[in-house]
Each structure stands twice: as C-alpha cells, then as structure tokens.
Amino acid sequence: MIGITAYGGYVPRLRLSRSAAAQANAWYAPQFANRKGTRAMANWDEDAITMAVAAARDCLGPSEDRGHVRGVLLASNTLPFAERLNSAVVAGALTLDDDVDAADTGGSQRAALGALTQAVARASAGGGDTLVLAADARKTRAGSQQELEYGDGAAAVLVGREEVVAQFLGAGTLSVDFVDHFRGAHEEIDYAWEERWVRDEGISKLVPLAVRAALEQAKVPAAEVDHFIFPSTFAKMDAQIAKSCGIRAEALADAMLDKVGDTGVAHALLMLAAVLERAAPGQVIVVAQFGSGAQALVFRATERIRSFKPQRGVSEWVARGVEEKNYTKFLSFKGQLALERGMRGEQDKKTALSTAWRHRTALLGLVAGRCEVTGSVHFPPSRLSYDQGKPLQDTQKPYKLADRPAKILSWSAEYLSYHPAPPHHYGQIDFEGGGRILMDFTDLDVGEVDSGTPMEMVFRVKDVDERRGYTRYFWKATPVRPSATH
C-alpha cells in the first residue's frame, strides 16, 4: 500500500486583523472597510524555509528517528533563494542524512500537489519515504484585495509504504497555460487578471476535468467522496466545482479563510492535513488545486488514521493565533516599510560561508556535543571537552537539542539596540540533560517570560545580509504554551 504515512502543518502565531488593515487604508480603498476576520501573518524572522521546517517537525515528531526519510520535496513560490537549494537548508535543520534526495519546486499554485504525485511515484519505484513540504509567504500591495485574502503558512505530508494513514487511489492532471495571475522573475508581487474570466473560463472549466480524471483512475464514484478540498478565495467556488462533479455539498472542507487566509501553494496540503485530523477509516478524500491547469488526487483513510497524531496539528496551530492590529508592523515584517534603525542597526552582516559550512550541523540542526566520559554537553561542539580540571580530547558525540525540554536561566528585554520587533528578548537557556546557550527569543509578549519559564526551540531567520541578499538561519526559544484546543 502506498500513501500518506504522516502529516502536519504550521500557521504563524500572529494574525493580522483585516479590519485594522482596512481602516488604515480606508482613505484610499474604502470598499474594504467592512472586511472581517484575520489572516495569518509571518513574524519578521519567518519565511518559506522556517515555516516548512515547522510543518515538517509537526509531521515527523522527535528528531531521533528520521533516518527513514529518503527524499525532501519543497514546493513554494516564495523561496528566499533563487540559487541555493532551499530544501537542503530544511533537511539540515531536520538533521536528515546528508545523502537524502532534496529538490525545490514551484512555478504554480498546484506545485505541492505535483510534488505529492512525485512522492507517490518515488514510493512506487522503491525510493523510500519522501517528505513533501509546501510553504508560502507572499507579498502584496498595500490597500489591495490580496493583502486581506492571503495568509502565510506551511504543510507537510510524508509518503511511503508502511503504516499508511491515507491510501493513494488515483490522480488527474491538466497542464495548460491559462494565466490567472503571474509574477515575473524579478518581481515580488503578482499581477492578477479579471476575476470573472478566471472563475468562469478557468477554474469552472479546468478543475472539474482533473477531478473527474482522478476519480476515474481511483474507480470511486463522485457521490462516495466524503471530503472535498479545493482552496479558492472566490466565494462558493468550491461548492460550484463539487456540484459540477457530482460531489455532495456536505463533503466540502473548511478553507479556513476567515482565520488564516489563502496560503498559496501550501493551502491544499494545509486543508488536507486539517481534514486528516478528523477523517474516519474508509472515508474518501479528494484534494484539488488550480494553477496553470489543475490537479486532483484521491485518497482513502485507513484504520491507521485513528492512531496517528501530529505533534500539534493544524487545528492547534489555528487555535493558538494572536490578533495583531498594528498594520505598520505587518508592513515592516513584510519588508514593505523602512523604519529608522539608528546607528546600531547599520553594521555589516556578511556571513563567512566557510565557517557556516564547518559548523553546519550545529547551526542548522542545533546539535551539541556530549562528552562520553563526563556526560557534559557543549555547544558549539568541539574536539575539546572543557570541564574544569578535566580537559579531554575527541570524547564528544553528537547530541541533538532542538526537541529537548528547556528553561530560561536568565533573560533580558531591551530597546537599546536595533531589533525588528522591539524589545529584543534574549537570554541563557538551559536544556534538560545538559547544555546551555545564549539565544534570541521569539513569538512572545512583553512580560510573558521569566527565569524558569519553560521554552521550546523553533528554527528561524537569524538575520539578513541585505547588501548581498543572504539569509542566515539559527534556532530561537519561544514559550511553551498549553494546548489552545483543550
């Protein structure tokens, strides 16, 4: 049996209030004044890579057992690097084996579904488990409809042969150059075509062809579909597609547009991960997405669906959101508002690539060294164990810290130096079992932390060398919060 063996998602904690954004632009775009709900908003230190890592961790669980992952496919239209293997950065953060087969894919809103079919093909050919990731953090023009409709997020599914939670049954693909929107190679913002044309001549005619082809290959009647996933910001577009294909109206999956928004390439997989959380054994799931044609896949949930749970799951990520009403913060985090940084923010941030390579395991994977003689944990790891009075050489073994419980030893929150989201929170973090690191904190409110506060690790942007266009990544600490769904 081939299919999805694990799944997960990620939605940033911050949620931009649509009404706050609309009010800020009411002088220019009064037509949006009554917009309600929120859209997911990436923090300043989040991008497609960091969100993909978060979704992958939600899917894979603790880092000690990931040797079975033999491939990583990262789908996105907003990858930070045009020429640097973004999926290799993700693989390093996940501490996957160096011989894992990693590839980036994009160019269409349905790139994630295309990657999913590639993963199925790899599994069919005996290529082992493949991790399919999708993430997007799109930029929009201020005062635009897209600014209110879009959202940032990521999703992950693992495809393989063992312990399948959703069996792959069939797929349908239509690849045509129907242009609903486009973005040139040197542009940051999409150009969209007329809505009615896209809806009537594009989506309503092309998507049903892919859905019917997938159902035919799966040998499943449309009336037996239990969950139909089709992300679209066009009102009732999913219902129209379902009706034209003979799928019951009650099968429509929640697109989460009111709280999250449309996360682009990631949205079909994000909805799929949400559906899998509540799917029952035997239920049929159809997931489709439009873009340069259309693509649809059919799955059937197995008995295994009852026992597998992601670390948090989409429902938990959605529930933990915090409303953000500062519209200028949103613009600043998106790099669309240049704020005064002061002289302390002027330093050059050139990265020594040779040093980054030599310490890649420690920097990307947060891997320390544990002395086999004394048991002491050292970060960064080195050939020398520097316990007082006990200098030892070559006694350290790799010791992963990213998933270990941790607490704040000491901390500071200061406004003196430049920081994209002041005050700058940082401090000494002690890890259970050994290890201490001076780290930045993220995703927290003023007054939320103190000495002894439990913290967990998240993979984030450390800083950006704007002169050369290089993004540097490292781990940060964030407060451990109780489940928002209980």
Side-chain angles (χ1 to χ4, degrees), residues 107 141 150 177-185 187-193 292:
R141 286 188 173 84
Y150 288 177
D177 188 32
F178 183 93
V179 183
D180 62 317
H181 73 278
F182 65 92
R183 177 162 52 90
E187 300 295 330
E188 289 187 325
I189 297 173
D190 298 344
Y191 183 87
W193 200 238
S292 298

Side-chain angles (χ1 to χ4, degrees), residues 6-9 54-61 131 156-158 308-311:
Y7 60 88
R57 295 176 74 199
D58 193 45
C59 171
L60 296 177
L131 180 63
V157 293
L158 186 66
F308 176 82
K309 298 295 180 185
Q311 283 199 308

